[in-house]
Amino acid sequence: MQIEKVVVNASPLILLFKSGLEDLLPQLFSTIIVPEAVWDEILRGGDIAAQKLLDNEATWITRITIQIPPEILVWNLGDGESEVLSWAFANRNFRAVIDDKAARNCAKTIGIETLGTGGMLVLAKRRGLIDSVGEALDKLQAVGLYVSDEIIKLLQHQAGE
C-alpha cells in the first residue's frame, strides 16, 4: 500500500529542516498534516525549523487543531505525540510519522500505522528521491538524530545499500 497522507510529529520535522531534507516530505506525500501542538513545539525551539515555519517556507503543511480522545490521553504522551496519534486514530488513511518509542508503542497497541524518520528515508530511496539512505542518515545524525548502528544497518539493507 502506497503511503500518501501523513501526520507528522515535531522531532522528524525539526530534524528534516535542520538537515536540509525537508523537501522530501512534499515529494513523498500528497497531504502533510501538522497538529497545533507540534507547530507550537517547533516554534518554541527558535531554530531553523521555527524560522522556516514563520517565513511560510513550508507551504505544503496543513496545520490542524484536534481533540485528544481518551484512548490516547491515558498514555500520558507529550501534547505533540498525542495530537499526531489522535489524528491518525481518527483518520486511518493517514500514517503517523513519529520516532518517540512510547508514542510508537501506543500506536501499535491501538492499531495506528507509523513511519519513522529512517523509514521515510527508505521510502525516499525506493522512489528515487535520494541516492543513499546512509548519506541522508549522516546528515540527520549531524543535527541530532540518534539511531543505533543496528537500525542503520537495517535501514540500509531495506534500501538495498
Side-chain angles (χ1 to χ4, degrees), residues 33-133:
I33 299 291
V34 173
E36 195 68 35
V38 169
W39 187 273
D40 292 344
E41 183 178 336
I42 293 169
L43 291 183
R44 280 193 306 273
D47 56 19
I48 187 72
Q51 194 59 53
K52 288 189 176 192
L53 290 184
L54 289 171
D55 290 346
N56 201 28
E57 289 185 33
T59 57
W60 35 266
I61 289 176
T62 301
R63 192 169 149 192
I64 55 101
T65 302
I66 189 161
Q67 296 295 321
I68 302 168
E71 296 90 342
I72 294 169
L73 201 54
V74 300
W75 285 81
N76 294 317
L77 302 169
D79 291 341
E81 289 89 356
S82 295
E83 288 188 11
V84 165
L85 295 178
S86 295
W87 180 267
F89 186 69
N91 300 275
R92 295 300 178 136
N93 56 335
F94 278 78
R95 185 77 54 105
V97 178
I98 199 156
D99 290 332
D100 180 80
K101 186 174 182 174
R104 289 174 75 90
N105 288 339
C106 170
K108 184 176 181 179
T109 300
I110 61 177
I112 296 170
E113 293 203 44
T114 62
L115 180 68
T117 303
M120 203 172 8
L121 296 178
V122 172
L123 189 59
K125 169 90 185 270
R126 288 179 180 166
R127 293 189 187 174
L129 301 174
I130 60 174
D131 294 327
S132 167
V133 167

Side-chain angles (χ1 to χ4, degrees), residues 130-143:
I130 60 174
D131 294 327
S132 167
V133 167
E135 289 175 17
L137 282 170
D138 287 345
K139 288 180 181 180
L140 289 166
Q141 286 180 301
V143 297

